[in-house]
Amino acid sequence: MLRLSVALKAAVGLLMVESIIELSFVSSMVAWLHRRASKGFTFNYDGSTYLLAGEPLNIMVDQGHTSNGAAGTAFVIIGCGGILGLFLRSWSRNKSGGAATFARSIYYLWLSFTIPAFLLTTGALAYVFAVTNAHEGQTIDVALAASLDGRKYPLDDWTPQNWFSAVLNLDLVDARGDIQSHLHVMRGWQYNLIPMFIVQLGVTILALWEFFDGRRQLKATTHDEHIARSEK
């Protein structure tokens, strides 16, 4: 039981680290899109220089919102809620009364959220990779982009990762290094969902395992006490 409790607390702490990394990556991408990418990029084509809008007309951002929601849920409800719930459960052990009952109910509430939160992360992982892979390899029509005079590129639907990968295939005047750096961040929050999923799976399994192991030990202790009283 003690080893399970220690492992669970360590897993909750690791999940909080993973979720903070995910939130930081997504926030960094959003800030850059508004601060820098919104100004557009210049590129060379057919001997002239043209302005390309920083975002296409049909940019898909739902996968970023989903990842952000999964990471926020993991940090606040499973991480912070787990610290509180496990502390209150430990405090209420061998206690009775309204305060102890309330403390245990907080722990049970947290435990009941572990599975839905894990399913949210699973859904975010599947959705982000499905959408990104579905638009892999798209390219920008350079002649059309040159004719737009800075207006948003109208063809196709794009994820941020796919769009900026295609932008890097243009003959950019500047900002190539900046785009490459932030493209790594975009791919970072996409692939960070994998370790976050694994850690959260571990938290969910350990939380349920510890709960049922505690119930089993409690039943065994109660049974032994009942036998001892009967012998007296």
Side-chain angles (χ1 to χ4, degrees):
M1 181 68 176
L2 178 60
R3 289 183 179 179
L4 273 177
S5 295
V6 171
L8 175 58
K9 290 170 185 175
V12 168
L14 185 56
L15 179 61
M16 293 179 75
V17 172
E18 276 294 330
S19 57
I20 281 292
I21 292 172
E22 185 71 12
L23 290 168
S24 298
F25 279 165
V26 174
S27 297
S28 176
M29 179 195 73
V30 171
W32 181 74
L33 288 175
H34 289 295
R35 185 185 69 251
R36 172 62 184 89
S38 61
K39 298 177 182 178
F41 308 99
T42 53
F43 66 99
N44 298 314
Y45 173 68
D46 200 22
S48 299
T49 301
Y50 300 92
L51 176 65
L52 175 72
E55 298 178 14
L57 183 62
N58 303 309
I59 188 165
M60 306 171 70
V61 295
D62 286 347
Q63 68 274 20
H65 294 321
T66 304
S67 299
N68 207 45
T73 300
F75 181 79
V76 176
I77 296 181
I78 307 305
C80 298
I83 292 172
L84 178 63
L86 292 171
F87 169 78
L88 290 175
R89 184 197 61 177
S90 178
W91 172 84
S92 65
R93 191 168 286 144
N94 299 322
K95 288 185 173 67
S96 59
T101 301
F102 175 76
R104 284 190 288 270
S105 69
I106 295 296
Y107 163 72
Y108 293 136
L109 181 63
W110 169 77
L111 186 68
S112 70
F113 273 117
T114 56
I115 294 177
F118 170 67
L119 293 177
L120 176 59
T121 298
T122 303
L125 174 66
Y127 176 62
V128 168
F129 275 87
V131 170
T132 304
N133 291 338
H135 297 274
E136 190 82 28
Q138 290 180 181
T139 58
I140 296 172
D141 184 328
V142 185
L144 174 60
S147 70
L148 292 174
D149 193 27
R151 297 189 301 275
K152 291 187 175 184
Y153 187 79
L155 299 184
D156 301 319
D157 296 322
W158 301 83
T159 67
Q161 296 94 318
N162 301 141
W163 170 251
F164 290 105
S165 293
V167 170
L168 287 174
N169 290 326
L170 302 176
D171 183 12
L172 295 171
V173 174
D174 54 15
R176 180 173 295 276
D178 192 24
I179 295 173
Q180 287 175 330
S181 174
H182 284 86
L183 182 57
H184 289 320
V185 172
M186 296 173 200
R187 288 176 175 153
W189 66 255
Q190 177 184 346
Y191 284 94
N192 186 64
L193 285 169
I194 297 173
M196 196 174 93
F197 163 82
I198 294 171
V199 173
Q200 195 161 353
L201 173 61
V203 169
T204 305
I205 291 173
L206 286 170
L208 294 173
W209 187 1
E210 188 208 38
F211 170 72
F212 287 114
D213 188 62
R215 290 288 295 271
R216 180 185 60 78
Q217 291 187 19
L218 180 61
K219 286 181 179 179
T221 301
T222 304
H223 179 68
D224 292 343
E225 290 175 351
H226 178 72
I227 291 175
R229 284 195 299 266
S230 299
E231 291 176 349
K232 289 179 181 180

